[in-house]
Amino acid sequence: MDAWEREVEIIRLFRETDWTYTNIAQFVGTQTATVRRVINRLGVVDLVKRRRRPQVRLEERQIKQIAKKYTAGTSTLALAREYGVNQATINRKLSGRGIQLRSQVEASHLIQGSRTQRKAMPRPHDVRFTALADDLGVEEEKLRALLLKHKFAIYNI
């Protein structure tokens, strides 16, 4: 495909599809900047922004709701979909409020627990608190509190 045919194909795809500049560039085998340059040079007007979500600004009350829902167990992905924003926006807002984000392991355990109706989860180590507390010479409840404080996953055995 020579340069002239490529430009014709770019314009055709731009007019007949709702593809983004990047999609057109990949299909034609060129760079996104080339697609943009061809469209601008030939005077084709992009009247509709392609595949861009309208910018959503979260209000303070929404951020408080998001924080409350997150601490209650809702995932950042679910919150992003509910409020029409990117997941990174949710992460930024939560971090900005001093809320520590769950690790992927914690999130997957949370999801598995809700999907399986608290079916027994696989345990990496089968350690009894009583035996561990005795070995360390501490009370069982103090050991449990210390492990939870440092984000260890504790399973009821």
Side-chain angles (χ1 to χ4, degrees):
M1 180 182 302
D2 67 5
W4 184 81
E5 290 173 328
R6 182 176 288 134
E7 287 186 8
V8 170
E9 183 68 0
I10 289 170
I11 298 300
R12 184 188 70 75
L13 290 170
F14 181 79
R15 287 185 173 160
E16 295 176 7
T17 69
D18 64 347
W19 289 1
T20 62
Y21 293 151
T22 304
N23 294 133
I24 293 171
Q26 288 171 348
F27 186 81
V28 175
T30 189
Q31 299 293 319
T32 305
T34 303
V35 172
R36 190 173 289 112
R37 190 171 41 252
V38 167
I39 290 169
N40 290 337
R41 186 179 67 230
L42 296 177
V44 178
V45 178
D46 187 4
L47 297 176
V48 178
K49 290 273 185 188
R50 294 183 177 247
R51 295 198 189 227
R52 287 211 54 189
R53 220 185 310 189
Q55 188 174 10
V56 176
R57 291 212 179 264
L58 294 171
E59 298 174 9
E60 186 61 28
R61 67 175 175 75
Q62 290 174 311
I63 297 169
K64 287 179 183 176
Q65 291 171 347
I66 289 168
K68 190 174 186 178
K69 289 179 181 181
Y70 181 77
T71 54
T74 306
S75 72
T76 55
L77 182 59
L79 290 167
R81 288 178 179 159
E82 180 181 342
Y83 288 89
V85 296
N86 192 295
Q87 189 175 6
T89 302
I90 298 295
N91 292 344
R92 229 179 10 262
K93 297 297 182 186
L94 291 170
S95 295
R97 290 194 160 268
I99 297 172
Q100 186 170 359
L101 299 176
R102 291 186 280 271
S103 68
Q104 287 182 342
V105 172
E106 291 171 320
S108 68
H109 284 275
L110 194 63
I111 291 168
Q112 286 176 1
S114 65
R115 286 185 183 162
T116 61
Q117 298 296 328
R118 298 288 178 203
K119 193 164 78 173
M121 295 166 122
R123 298 186 223 358
H125 301 26
D126 192 8
V127 178
R128 305 264 178 209
F129 275 97
T130 307
L132 186 58
D134 288 344
D135 287 348
L136 295 172
V138 295
E139 293 177 25
E140 186 178 345
E141 288 307 311
K142 286 184 179 180
L143 176 62
R144 182 182 300 272
L146 185 63
L147 291 172
L148 286 172
K149 177 182 175 186
H150 292 285
K151 309 285 188 226
F152 281 80
I154 297 177
Y155 302 97
N156 290 328
I157 300 172

